[in-house]
mmCIF file of all heavy atoms in Angstrom:
data_model
loop_
_atom_site.group_PDB
_atom_site.id
_atom_site.type_symbol
_atom_site.label_atom_id
_atom_site.label_comp_id
_atom_site.label_asym_id
_atom_site.label_seq_id
_atom_site.Cartn_x
_atom_site.Cartn_y
_atom_site.Cartn_z
ATOM 1 N N SER A 252 -137.150 -77.144 -137.102
ATOM 2 C CA SER A 252 -136.150 -78.185 -136.839
ATOM 3 C C SER A 252 -136.853 -79.392 -136.230
ATOM 4 O O SER A 252 -137.798 -79.245 -135.445
ATOM 5 C CB SER A 252 -135.074 -77.678 -135.876
ATOM 6 O OG SER A 252 -135.612 -77.452 -134.584
ATOM 7 N N ILE A 253 -136.401 -80.563 -136.619
ATOM 8 C CA ILE A 253 -137.013 -81.813 -136.157
ATOM 9 C C ILE A 253 -135.932 -82.731 -135.605
ATOM 10 O O ILE A 253 -134.899 -82.938 -136.247
ATOM 11 C CB ILE A 253 -137.773 -82.514 -137.300
ATOM 12 C CG1 ILE A 253 -139.033 -81.715 -137.656
ATOM 13 C CG2 ILE A 253 -138.133 -83.934 -136.935
ATOM 14 C CD1 ILE A 253 -139.856 -82.348 -138.763
ATOM 15 N N GLN A 254 -136.176 -83.267 -134.439
ATOM 16 C CA GLN A 254 -135.259 -84.244 -133.847
ATOM 17 C C GLN A 254 -135.609 -85.651 -134.305
ATOM 18 O O GLN A 254 -134.751 -86.406 -134.739
ATOM 19 C CB GLN A 254 -135.346 -84.173 -132.316
ATOM 20 C CG GLN A 254 -134.922 -82.856 -131.713
ATOM 21 C CD GLN A 254 -133.425 -82.743 -131.536
ATOM 22 O OE1 GLN A 254 -132.702 -83.731 -131.629
ATOM 23 N NE2 GLN A 254 -132.948 -81.540 -131.282
ATOM 24 N N CYS A 255 -136.898 -85.997 -134.190
ATOM 25 C CA CYS A 255 -137.350 -87.361 -134.489
ATOM 26 C C CYS A 255 -138.499 -87.350 -135.486
ATOM 27 O O CYS A 255 -138.438 -87.972 -136.526
ATOM 28 C CB CYS A 255 -137.751 -88.057 -133.186
ATOM 29 S SG CYS A 255 -138.515 -89.682 -133.419
ATOM 30 N N CYS A 256 -139.571 -86.629 -135.134
ATOM 31 C CA CYS A 256 -140.748 -86.589 -135.997
ATOM 32 C C CYS A 256 -141.414 -85.229 -135.883
ATOM 33 O O CYS A 256 -140.999 -84.375 -135.092
ATOM 34 C CB CYS A 256 -141.721 -87.708 -135.640
ATOM 35 S SG CYS A 256 -142.369 -87.577 -133.953
ATOM 36 N N SER A 257 -142.481 -85.017 -136.638
ATOM 37 C CA SER A 257 -143.131 -83.713 -136.668
ATOM 38 C C SER A 257 -143.718 -83.314 -135.317
ATOM 39 O O SER A 257 -143.948 -82.133 -135.069
ATOM 40 C CB SER A 257 -144.235 -83.705 -137.739
ATOM 41 O OG SER A 257 -145.170 -84.746 -137.501
ATOM 42 N N ALA A 258 -143.945 -84.288 -134.443
ATOM 43 C CA ALA A 258 -144.498 -83.974 -133.123
ATOM 44 C C ALA A 258 -143.543 -83.133 -132.285
ATOM 45 O O ALA A 258 -143.979 -82.361 -131.424
ATOM 46 C CB ALA A 258 -144.846 -85.263 -132.384
ATOM 47 N N ASP A 259 -142.226 -83.268 -132.509
ATOM 48 C CA ASP A 259 -141.258 -82.493 -131.722
ATOM 49 C C ASP A 259 -140.697 -81.306 -132.515
ATOM 50 O O ASP A 259 -139.679 -80.722 -132.146
ATOM 51 C CB ASP A 259 -140.119 -83.379 -131.208
ATOM 52 C CG ASP A 259 -139.286 -84.001 -132.341
ATOM 53 O OD1 ASP A 259 -139.147 -83.359 -133.395
ATOM 54 O OD2 ASP A 259 -138.774 -85.108 -132.149
ATOM 55 N N ALA A 260 -141.365 -80.945 -133.617
ATOM 56 C CA ALA A 260 -140.891 -79.842 -134.453
ATOM 57 C C ALA A 260 -140.837 -78.538 -133.656
ATOM 58 O O ALA A 260 -141.745 -78.229 -132.882
ATOM 59 C CB ALA A 260 -141.799 -79.671 -135.662
ATOM 60 N N ALA A 261 -139.763 -77.780 -133.861
ATOM 61 C CA ALA A 261 -139.576 -76.502 -133.166
ATOM 62 C C ALA A 261 -139.217 -75.425 -134.188
ATOM 63 O O ALA A 261 -138.264 -75.580 -134.944
ATOM 64 C CB ALA A 261 -138.481 -76.621 -132.116
ATOM 65 N N PRO A 262 -139.979 -74.325 -134.229
ATOM 66 C CA PRO A 262 -139.677 -73.260 -135.186
ATOM 67 C C PRO A 262 -138.592 -72.324 -134.660
ATOM 68 O O PRO A 262 -138.587 -71.966 -133.481
ATOM 69 C CB PRO A 262 -141.014 -72.516 -135.296
ATOM 70 C CG PRO A 262 -141.659 -72.719 -133.961
ATOM 71 C CD PRO A 262 -141.213 -74.068 -133.468
ATOM 72 N N PHE A 263 -137.669 -71.953 -135.506
ATOM 73 C CA PHE A 263 -136.656 -70.969 -135.147
ATOM 74 C C PHE A 263 -136.209 -70.245 -136.407
ATOM 75 O O PHE A 263 -136.453 -70.709 -137.524
ATOM 76 C CB PHE A 263 -135.470 -71.617 -134.423
ATOM 77 C CG PHE A 263 -134.550 -72.394 -135.311
ATOM 78 C CD1 PHE A 263 -133.310 -71.900 -135.663
ATOM 79 C CD2 PHE A 263 -134.920 -73.636 -135.798
ATOM 80 C CE1 PHE A 263 -132.471 -72.608 -136.494
ATOM 81 C CE2 PHE A 263 -134.083 -74.358 -136.634
ATOM 82 C CZ PHE A 263 -132.845 -73.840 -136.974
ATOM 83 N N GLY A 264 -135.587 -69.097 -136.224
ATOM 84 C CA GLY A 264 -135.170 -68.349 -137.398
ATOM 85 C C GLY A 264 -134.419 -67.090 -137.032
ATOM 86 O O GLY A 264 -133.995 -66.909 -135.885
ATOM 87 N N VAL A 265 -134.281 -66.209 -138.022
ATOM 88 C CA VAL A 265 -133.522 -64.969 -137.870
ATOM 89 C C VAL A 265 -134.429 -63.785 -138.204
ATOM 90 O O VAL A 265 -135.096 -63.786 -139.247
ATOM 91 C CB VAL A 265 -132.287 -64.956 -138.799
ATOM 92 C CG1 VAL A 265 -131.555 -63.618 -138.713
ATOM 93 C CG2 VAL A 265 -131.345 -66.098 -138.452
ATOM 94 N N LEU A 266 -134.448 -62.802 -137.335
ATOM 95 C CA LEU A 266 -135.207 -61.582 -137.597
ATOM 96 C C LEU A 266 -134.531 -60.814 -138.729
ATOM 97 O O LEU A 266 -133.306 -60.680 -138.750
ATOM 98 C CB LEU A 266 -135.265 -60.724 -136.334
ATOM 99 C CG LEU A 266 -136.036 -59.401 -136.451
ATOM 100 C CD1 LEU A 266 -137.519 -59.672 -136.671
ATOM 101 C CD2 LEU A 266 -135.827 -58.554 -135.208
ATOM 102 N N ALA A 267 -135.325 -60.323 -139.669
ATOM 103 C CA ALA A 267 -134.790 -59.560 -140.799
ATOM 104 C C ALA A 267 -135.530 -58.234 -140.911
ATOM 105 O O ALA A 267 -136.720 -58.144 -140.594
ATOM 106 C CB ALA A 267 -134.928 -60.349 -142.096
ATOM 107 N N GLU A 268 -134.816 -57.218 -141.371
ATOM 108 C CA GLU A 268 -135.422 -55.908 -141.597
ATOM 109 C C GLU A 268 -135.229 -55.531 -143.060
ATOM 110 O O GLU A 268 -134.110 -55.562 -143.580
ATOM 111 C CB GLU A 268 -134.797 -54.857 -140.674
ATOM 112 C CG GLU A 268 -135.149 -55.080 -139.210
ATOM 113 C CD GLU A 268 -134.648 -53.966 -138.314
ATOM 114 O OE1 GLU A 268 -133.864 -53.109 -138.791
ATOM 115 O OE2 GLU A 268 -135.028 -53.948 -137.119
ATOM 116 N N TYR A 269 -136.361 -55.180 -143.686
ATOM 117 C CA TYR A 269 -136.364 -54.927 -145.128
ATOM 118 C C TYR A 269 -137.430 -53.869 -145.410
ATOM 119 O O TYR A 269 -138.578 -53.984 -144.954
ATOM 120 C CB TYR A 269 -136.675 -56.228 -145.870
ATOM 121 C CG TYR A 269 -136.762 -56.146 -147.365
ATOM 122 C CD1 TYR A 269 -135.764 -55.539 -148.122
ATOM 123 C CD2 TYR A 269 -137.850 -56.696 -148.042
ATOM 124 C CE1 TYR A 269 -135.843 -55.482 -149.499
ATOM 125 C CE2 TYR A 269 -137.943 -56.658 -149.428
ATOM 126 C CZ TYR A 269 -136.937 -56.037 -150.152
ATOM 127 O OH TYR A 269 -137.018 -55.983 -151.527
ATOM 128 N N ASP A 270 -137.095 -52.837 -146.145
ATOM 129 C CA ASP A 270 -138.011 -51.716 -146.387
ATOM 130 C C ASP A 270 -139.304 -52.154 -147.064
ATOM 131 O O ASP A 270 -140.357 -51.560 -146.848
ATOM 132 C CB ASP A 270 -137.320 -50.638 -147.238
ATOM 133 C CG ASP A 270 -136.207 -49.929 -146.471
ATOM 134 O OD1 ASP A 270 -136.241 -49.979 -145.225
ATOM 135 O OD2 ASP A 270 -135.306 -49.352 -147.118
ATOM 136 N N ARG A 271 -139.208 -53.193 -147.883
ATOM 137 C CA ARG A 271 -140.400 -53.663 -148.609
ATOM 138 C C ARG A 271 -140.898 -54.990 -148.046
ATOM 139 O O ARG A 271 -141.430 -55.828 -148.768
ATOM 140 C CB ARG A 271 -140.063 -53.802 -150.092
ATOM 141 C CG ARG A 271 -139.646 -52.488 -150.762
ATOM 142 C CD ARG A 271 -139.201 -52.728 -152.185
ATOM 143 N NE ARG A 271 -140.265 -53.335 -152.980
ATOM 144 C CZ ARG A 271 -140.074 -53.939 -154.154
ATOM 145 N NH1 ARG A 271 -138.851 -54.017 -154.659
ATOM 146 N NH2 ARG A 271 -141.093 -54.457 -154.810
ATOM 147 N N ALA A 272 -140.769 -55.150 -146.760
ATOM 148 C CA ALA A 272 -141.178 -56.407 -146.120
ATOM 149 C C ALA A 272 -142.662 -56.694 -146.302
ATOM 150 O O ALA A 272 -143.080 -57.862 -146.359
ATOM 151 C CB ALA A 272 -140.841 -56.363 -144.630
ATOM 152 N N ASN A 273 -143.473 -55.628 -146.410
ATOM 153 C CA ASN A 273 -144.923 -55.830 -146.550
ATOM 154 C C ASN A 273 -145.306 -56.436 -147.895
ATOM 155 O O ASN A 273 -146.457 -56.816 -148.100
ATOM 156 C CB ASN A 273 -145.672 -54.515 -146.326
ATOM 157 C CG ASN A 273 -145.233 -53.407 -147.279
ATOM 158 O OD1 ASN A 273 -144.300 -53.599 -148.065
ATOM 159 N ND2 ASN A 273 -145.895 -52.273 -147.211
ATOM 160 N N THR A 274 -144.372 -56.525 -148.827
ATOM 161 C CA THR A 274 -144.659 -57.149 -150.125
ATOM 162 C C THR A 274 -144.468 -58.667 -150.083
ATOM 163 O O THR A 274 -144.794 -59.353 -151.051
ATOM 164 C CB THR A 274 -143.753 -56.569 -151.227
ATOM 165 O OG1 THR A 274 -142.381 -56.882 -150.941
ATOM 166 C CG2 THR A 274 -143.909 -55.059 -151.317
ATOM 167 N N LEU A 275 -143.934 -59.166 -148.979
ATOM 168 C CA LEU A 275 -143.667 -60.604 -148.855
ATOM 169 C C LEU A 275 -144.834 -61.291 -148.161
ATOM 170 O O LEU A 275 -145.222 -60.907 -147.056
ATOM 171 C CB LEU A 275 -142.376 -60.835 -148.055
ATOM 172 C CG LEU A 275 -141.112 -60.154 -148.590
ATOM 173 C CD1 LEU A 275 -139.951 -60.353 -147.618
ATOM 174 C CD2 LEU A 275 -140.749 -60.710 -149.968
ATOM 175 N N ALA A 276 -145.381 -62.289 -148.798
ATOM 176 C CA ALA A 276 -146.520 -63.014 -148.224
ATOM 177 C C ALA A 276 -146.047 -63.973 -147.142
ATOM 178 O O ALA A 276 -144.961 -64.550 -147.239
ATOM 179 C CB ALA A 276 -147.252 -63.778 -149.322
ATOM 180 N N ASP A 277 -146.862 -64.135 -146.126
ATOM 181 C CA ASP A 277 -146.554 -65.116 -145.089
ATOM 182 C C ASP A 277 -146.414 -66.505 -145.714
ATOM 183 O O ASP A 277 -147.179 -66.872 -146.620
ATOM 184 C CB ASP A 277 -147.662 -65.153 -144.029
ATOM 185 C CG ASP A 277 -147.679 -63.900 -143.174
ATOM 186 O OD1 ASP A 277 -146.713 -63.129 -143.238
ATOM 187 O OD2 ASP A 277 -148.674 -63.690 -142.447
ATOM 188 N N ASP A 278 -145.454 -67.258 -145.225
ATOM 189 C CA ASP A 278 -145.181 -68.636 -145.671
ATOM 190 C C ASP A 278 -144.550 -68.720 -147.057
ATOM 191 O O ASP A 278 -144.296 -69.822 -147.548
ATOM 192 C CB ASP A 278 -146.442 -69.508 -145.639
ATOM 193 C CG ASP A 278 -146.906 -69.807 -144.227
ATOM 194 O OD1 ASP A 278 -146.047 -70.063 -143.369
ATOM 195 O OD2 ASP A 278 -148.128 -69.777 -143.965
#
Side-chain angles (χ1 to χ4, degrees):
S252 67
I253 290 181
Q254 297 277 346
C255 173
C256 62
S257 57
D259 63 32
F263 75 106
V265 176
L266 180 67
E268 292 186 350
Y269 178 50
D270 291 339
R271 299 174 59 196
N273 58 356
T274 64
L275 304 174
D277 290 347
D278 290 319

